[in-house]
Each structure stands twice: as structure tokens, then as C-alpha cells.
Amino acid sequence: MSLFNPDTLTLREMAGLLRRGVLTSVTLLEFYLQRIAERNRHINALIQLAPVEELRRQAREADEMARVGQISGPLHGIPITIKDVLHVRGFKMSRGLGELLGEPSEQDATAVARLRQAGAIILGISNVPELCMAFETENLVYGRTLNPHDLQRSAGGSSGGEAAAIAAGCSPAGLASDACGSVRIPAHFNGICGLKLTQGRVPLTGQFPNDRSGLFHMTSAFGVMGRYVDDLALLGQLISGADGQDPDTVDVPFTASEPLANLRVALFSASSRPPVSAAVSQVLQHVERCLGPVVAEVSTVAPPMLDEACDVLWRVFITGADAGRGWRQLFESMNKRRFTPAIAQLLDMSEAVELTVDEVKRDWIMIDTFRYELAKFFKQHDLFICPVFPDVAFRHGESLEDRDRYAFVFPFSLSGSPAVVIRAGTDPTTGMPIGIQIVGPHWQEERLLAVAAFLERELERWSPVTPRPASTY
């Protein structure tokens, strides 16, 4: 075994040691295979693994190439995992639905192919809710994913499997997606880092089961998850850029962040919808104390129209605004009649929402107005820091108990804004992690990552979690 503990190494540090022959891909692979064997059975985060002998062959090949100076890319020989939401060659994708589970994918999605080209070894794929349409990762094919910090609590969704695997140290990083908070909520619940890139930066080519996803295509973005902020910075750039197939993806260069001393930070202060817990509030106060001496300005102000944006995302995109007809027709076309409780509840709630043509036009105008007003806000403030969720991870079965709890993530899906989530503290009562969300103007990921990297040094950082039984809180 190497003298280096992979848990303490960023992806770049792993890659550097591999290039110098100080660490081997075989060693890394065996480390994560052992972790998976020990911990995944307790949390059900990874649902398919590549054949072990094939993984070992790839690792040996990566080491042989490294020995002769042939480095395939920045992830040469590093194992990672992928959310069950896009095609991964050799794996049977399902998006959490048995009705979609078929033959193994023959071709990688663009984002997956780019990670392979960078040298990554795909360990396996991670669990999702049915059709990725819940904030609780559970389906009738693979079951429920548990939060490694407290097995009675949710890992979140829809990237709950990816987040739980990384939190438990079963994977160093992975590829995920975010249409309504699906990277950000699980990152907060599990105490890891997540990046939702600007919508239009990463091709959605190769989404499963279809490249286009109807209305949700307008809020969908691929994202990355990892243990450290630098992992996000590396992976985000690797998957970005037009591919000539997704017409909505453009090539926008990543630009270096301004110095922290020049940044004007807007910071969430208080909200009645939803009210945040005392522990979340204290974490934000600590963030303010950390940033105050090093940035140009910290203002306690929030962007306009956040509540309206939250409501529109719910009405138009999640329920479909058609009394549930769209959802029923979709599931009937699959001959699907059994659902997890979260999806059954979504169908029931959708039946209560039906908009007239005039109301849909009103909401569509509101979307445009919100995006315009948010852009104006970011002319006055370089970034906005707020909660991800008003409290720690909820207990299983509470995905849609109160949609106002998603008021911090829904608006920035509607706007297509980039957002970073990092762990920033711990709830003193439950011991659960608390994250913060850093949001900025389109294409300014490097600015958000620079602030996140500074705060990562000042606040709590990721450390692997051995899955533990439920608390009494």
C-alpha cells in the first residue's frame, strides 16, 4: 500500500503522484474497491460496478503507460463514478425505472467520453430516484440510498447516490446533473462539494433515455461532485465546451477570477419562506466573519423575485401545469403503474395544478423578467452566498413535504446560473453537515470556485464518513 492516503489527495495531487510513479492506479483502484466492499452495502449508493478484472486491467495499463511517460490526460488512471442519468458504455442505464432498464449502452455521453479521454477509469454508476424526479434517492429497481452520516436520513436527490458514495469515501469524484437542485441538495445533505455549471457550458448529448428532456431541458445542466473544491475546478473544465451535437452548448473560455479583495459579496440574511434553522444561520454568520476582512464588501441583500421564481419552477416545470396529464401520459407510455411514495406524491400534487394559456404566458414572461433582474443584480454584486436548504438532511420519506424548502435552489435552476456548494459547518444537535451555496453570473465559475477554495481552508472540509446508525434527532 502506498504511503499516501487517497482521502487526503485532490484529484490533481493523485494525478501528479501517478505521473511520478510514487502512486499507482492499481493501488488507487484497490483502495476504492475495498471501500466499496466495506461501506456501499450499508448505504446502497453505487448500483452497478464494472467487472473487477476489467477495472484491474485498465489500472495496470494506466500504470504501464505512466512508466513510459504516456499520460492520457489530467485524470490518468484515476477511478471515478457516474450518475445513472446519461449513457455510460458497458452499463445498463435506467434513470431509476425498471421500464427503461435494457441492454448496456454502446456509446458514452459526450461528458463521459471526455472524462475517459482525460484518463479516468469508470468504477460504476450511482443510484437515482425514479426518473430523477425526487429529492429522495429511491426507486423500485435498486431501492433506497441512505445518508452515510445518519442512515435514517435522506441522501437527497436526484444525485443522492453519487453524493453518498463520495461522502463515504467509496469514490473520489463523479459526474452528475442538476435541473432543480439535484447536485446542490445532495452535496449539502452529505457534506461534499458540488458544482452546477452554467447552463449551456456542457453538452447534454447522451442524456438517458433521450438527449432532449422536454421542458426540463431548459433548466438541465450537468455538474460535478467531489471531496475538494479543486476536484470541481478540474472536472468542470474537462467536461465543458460545444460538441457539435447539442445546439444549446457554446464555447465560452474559463476566465481567472478577480482577486478576492476586489469582490463584492451579497450574503443571505434572513427569510420567512423558508425560515432557516439556527445552525444554518450560525454557519452563514461564520462565513460573513471569514469573508469580511478579505473581500471588498459584504452586503446582506438578496436578488429580487426569488419567491416568484421558486413558484414558477414548481408550477410550470415540476408539476407540468396540466393537472398531471403530462406525467400520466408519460408513465402510461412506459406501462408503468407502480411508484415510489415520492413519485406517487408528485403525481397527486400535479393533479392540483392546471394553468390557463394566459397564466402560462404570465409565468413565461416572469421567467424572462427574473433572469433579467438577476443579471442586473450581478452587476452590483459579484456573487451571492445563501443556504442550500433551510436545515440538515430530512428523514426518509419527506422529499415533497414542503416545497418552500427548495426556495434556495429552484431560482438558480430557472436562471441557468452557475453554483458551487461546499461544506461549511456541522449541526451541533444532529452532527449532520451543513453546506452553503455560492451563486454568480453566467460563465463565472472560476470566481465562485476561488471564493469556495478560500472558505474551504477556513471552514470545515470533507472527510470520509463511516456509515453510522440513526441518531435520535
Side-chain angles (χ1 to χ4, degrees):
M1 182 65 181
S2 167
L3 295 176
F4 295 94
N5 178 0
D7 287 333
T8 66
L9 302 173
T10 67
L11 296 179
R12 282 188 227 264
E13 289 168 341
M14 287 181 185
L17 294 173
L18 281 165
R19 283 195 301 272
R20 301 201 302 272
V22 180
L23 181 66
T24 67
S25 179
V26 168
T27 298
L28 271 181
L29 174 65
E30 295 300 335
F31 176 87
Y32 286 109
L33 288 176
Q34 182 65 30
R35 272 283 173 77
I36 291 167
E38 293 170 353
R39 299 182 180 181
N40 190 57
R41 67 181 185 272
H42 298 296
I43 57 175
N44 191 36
L46 299 176
I47 51 176
Q48 290 182 47
L49 292 182
V52 171
E53 285 310 310
E54 171 58 18
L55 289 171
R56 287 172 173 153
R57 184 199 65 76
Q58 291 181 48
R60 289 194 299 270
E61 181 179 326
D63 288 336
E64 286 297 326
M65 292 174 63
R67 272 193 282 273
V68 296
Q70 295 180 3
I71 301 299
S72 52
L75 298 177
H76 184 91
I78 297 175
I80 63 169
T81 44
I82 310 289
K83 178 182 178 180
D84 182 5
V85 74
L86 70 173
H87 284 285
V88 183
R89 189 181 69 247
F91 289 91
K92 295 182 177 182
M93 314 311 294
S94 73
R95 207 178 181 100
L97 294 178
E99 292 77 7
L100 295 180
L101 187 64
E103 295 302 311
S105 294
E106 297 180 356
Q107 185 173 341
D108 286 330
T110 295
V112 176
R114 288 173 174 175
L115 295 176
R116 283 201 208 262
Q117 290 161 8
I121 295 174
I122 309 300
L123 269 174
I125 61 173
S126 54
N127 205 18
V128 297
E130 291 183 299
L131 212 58
C132 295
M133 280 305 301
F135 291 104
E136 167 89 89
T137 294
E138 180 180 20
N139 60 63
L140 302 179
V141 184
Y142 299 110
R144 173 185 284 172
T145 296
L146 311 181
N147 191 312
H149 294 269
D150 183 336
L151 301 182
Q152 289 264 15
R153 294 183 186 270
S154 174
S158 61
S159 308
E162 195 61 40
I166 295 169
C170 296
S171 170
L175 178 61
S177 62
D178 189 315
C180 302
S182 294
V183 163
R184 292 163 288 160
I185 294 288
H188 162 71
F189 279 14
N190 293 275
I192 67 165
C193 299
L195 167 64
K196 179 180 87 74
L197 290 110
T198 303
Q199 189 182 22
R201 226 191 227 294
V202 183
L204 295 175
T205 309
Q207 279 195 110
F208 180 86
N210 303 306
D211 278 4
R212 314 300 282 187
S213 49
L215 282 177
F216 278 108
H217 202 80
M218 300 183 63
T219 66
S220 294
F222 284 142
V224 293
M225 308 183 88
R227 304 152 305 151
Y228 302 111
V229 171
D230 191 62
D231 297 342
L232 308 182
L234 175 61
L235 294 174
Q237 291 205 24
L238 288 174
I239 64 173
S240 294
D243 67 348
Q245 297 181 71
D246 182 346
D248 301 317
T249 307
V250 294
D251 284 316
V252 178
F254 286 81
T255 56
S257 172
E258 308 90 330
L260 294 188
N262 295 349
L263 295 180
R264 302 158 300 170
V265 176
L267 184 72
F268 167 89
S269 56
S271 170
S272 58
R273 181 200 176 193
V276 302
S277 71
V280 170
S281 181
Q282 288 165 8
V283 164
L284 287 164
Q285 291 168 18
H286 189 194
V287 168
E288 182 177 11
R289 290 193 296 271
C290 290
L291 286 176
V294 299
V295 300
E297 175 183 279
V298 178
S299 306
T300 52
V301 61
M305 301 179 68
L306 294 183
D307 288 348
E308 294 92 330
C310 179
D311 290 341
V312 166
L313 188 82
W314 173 261
R315 284 195 302 262
V316 175
F317 292 87
I318 295 180
T319 71
D322 60 358
R325 290 188 297 274
W327 286 121
R328 286 197 302 273
Q329 290 167 6
L330 174 64
F331 289 126
E332 285 170 6
S333 72
M334 300 177 185
N335 198 30
K336 180 173 177 59
R337 294 182 173 83
R338 293 178 58 239
F339 304 93
T340 57
I343 299 303
Q345 186 179 12
L346 172 63
L347 293 177
D348 288 343
M349 297 172 84
S350 297
E351 291 179 359
V353 182
E354 184 170 20
L355 302 184
T356 66
V357 171
D358 286 342
E359 288 171 331
V360 171
K361 287 167 62 178
R362 173 206 65 198
D363 281 355
W364 220 254
I365 291 169
M366 205 293 302
I367 293 170
D368 181 68
T369 304
F370 169 64
R371 291 169 67 98
Y372 176 75
E373 292 296 330
L374 184 62
K376 284 174 59 179
F377 177 85
F378 283 130
K379 291 292 185 182
Q380 302 299 318
H381 309 278
D382 296 306
L383 54 93
F384 175 55
I385 299 178
C386 66
V388 184
F389 193 76
D391 206 342
V392 298
F394 50 68
R395 292 184 174 278
H396 295 296
E398 299 178 8
S399 176
L400 293 175
E401 288 298 311
D402 179 5
R403 64 183 173 87
D404 282 353
R405 297 185 297 184
Y406 305 108
F408 300 117
V409 292
F410 282 1
F412 305 114
S413 293
L414 202 63
S415 65
S417 305
V420 173
V421 171
I422 61 169
R423 181 171 184 168
T426 300
D427 183 281
T429 303
T430 63
M432 296 297 293
I434 295 172
I436 58 168
Q437 179 177 218
I438 309 170
V439 186
H442 282 46
W443 318 116
Q444 295 301 319
E445 285 88 350
E446 293 292 335
R447 178 188 300 168
L448 309 184
L449 290 164
V451 173
F454 168 78
L455 289 172
E456 181 181 50
R457 295 189 293 271
E458 300 294 314
L459 305 172
E460 294 189 27
R461 303 183 77 184
W462 172 87
S463 60
V465 182
T466 301
R468 63 184 175 93
S471 71
T472 56
Y473 298 99

